[in-house]
Amino acid sequence: MGIIQQTFRRLTTYWRDNAFLTYFLEIGFWLTQAGVIFYVLYRVNAGEVRLYVLLACLLGFSIYQVFAKKPYIRILEVIIRIVSSIYHFIRRLLDKLLLTPFKWIITLIYRMIKTIFGWTITLLLFILNVILAPFIWIGKGIYKIIPDSFKKFLKKIEGFYSKIKNICYRWLQLFRRR
């Protein structure tokens, strides 16, 4: 009983910040201890609780406190350190063998898709420029021969066109940066 209590006290440092969990585990620990003691008494003594049995439990706990507590605490600390080291080793191993390559592969796939998409957009814009170039040349030629009054009307429309063009250009630049 003393060893189990000492182990429980040592492990309470891990959940001390959570009050609900502390109370729940404390109550659970003592109910489990009482259940184990009464089960052992039932199996050994046919369920009869006598004074000398309670005194024997107290004497056993006292002897543990005097003679075995310090060596057990040292052994417990070593065991906790070993288990903690194994846990951290396995965690780092899984991180290096599974998570890091997975992150790298996902990043690589993302960058490849982004690059291919960027090349596709660039190629489509080039093809669009090649297709539209003759129409632009024809439009510039027609613009030179139209009357000045119609050119003034086109200048008014040009301001609206310029705003739309700038918005589309900024959006395209933002998309290319990503």
Side-chain angles (χ1 to χ4, degrees):
M1 185 169 143
I3 289 175
I4 295 171
Q5 184 196 23
Q6 191 66 43
T7 305
F8 180 74
R9 290 289 162 235
R10 173 58 179 88
L11 295 178
T12 55
T13 58
Y14 296 114
W15 58 77
R16 189 175 303 267
D17 294 338
N18 190 340
F20 175 74
L21 186 62
T22 301
Y23 292 131
F24 178 75
L25 290 174
E26 194 76 35
I27 290 169
F29 172 75
W30 286 111
L31 287 176
T32 304
Q33 285 297 308
V36 167
I37 288 173
F38 283 117
Y39 176 74
V40 169
L41 285 176
Y42 179 75
R43 297 295 288 175
V44 172
N45 211 11
E48 295 179 9
V49 179
R50 296 193 175 158
L51 182 62
Y52 68 87
V53 174
L54 293 176
L55 291 175
C57 287
L58 289 174
L59 181 65
F61 185 73
S62 300
I63 290 173
Y64 164 77
Q65 290 290 333
V66 173
F67 293 114
K69 184 177 179 180
K70 288 183 182 177
Y72 177 72
I73 289 174
R74 279 187 258 132
I75 292 170
L76 182 63
E77 290 298 325
V78 169
I79 291 171
I80 289 173
R81 254 186 270 122
I82 290 171
V83 169
S84 177
S85 297
I86 291 171
Y87 168 75
H88 288 298
F89 173 75
I90 291 173
R91 186 171 176 199
R92 283 192 308 262
L93 184 70
L94 289 176
D95 183 49
K96 298 297 182 198
L97 291 178
L98 294 177
L99 294 179
T100 303
F102 183 72
K103 289 177 189 175
W104 186 80
I105 289 170
I106 295 298
T107 304
L108 179 69
I109 290 171
Y110 171 73
R111 287 182 181 174
M112 287 173 63
I113 290 172
K114 183 179 168 186
T115 302
I116 291 171
F117 191 70
W119 288 346
T120 306
I121 294 293
T122 304
L123 182 65
L124 288 175
L125 289 175
F126 176 74
I127 291 171
L128 187 66
N129 271 342
V130 168
I131 292 173
L132 292 180
F135 295 109
I136 292 173
W137 297 333
I138 292 171
K140 285 182 180 179
I142 292 173
Y143 184 75
K144 289 180 181 177
I145 60 173
I146 60 173
D148 287 339
S149 61
F150 192 69
K151 284 183 183 179
K152 287 181 184 178
F153 173 73
L154 290 177
K155 289 285 184 184
K156 290 179 183 177
I157 296 175
E158 182 183 15
F160 176 73
Y161 166 77
S162 176
K163 286 181 185 178
I164 299 297
K165 179 182 172 185
N166 288 339
I167 290 171
C168 291
Y169 181 74
R170 277 185 262 155
W171 185 69
L172 186 63
Q173 290 300 321
L174 179 70
F175 180 75
R176 282 187 178 175
R177 274 187 247 144
R178 289 186 182 177

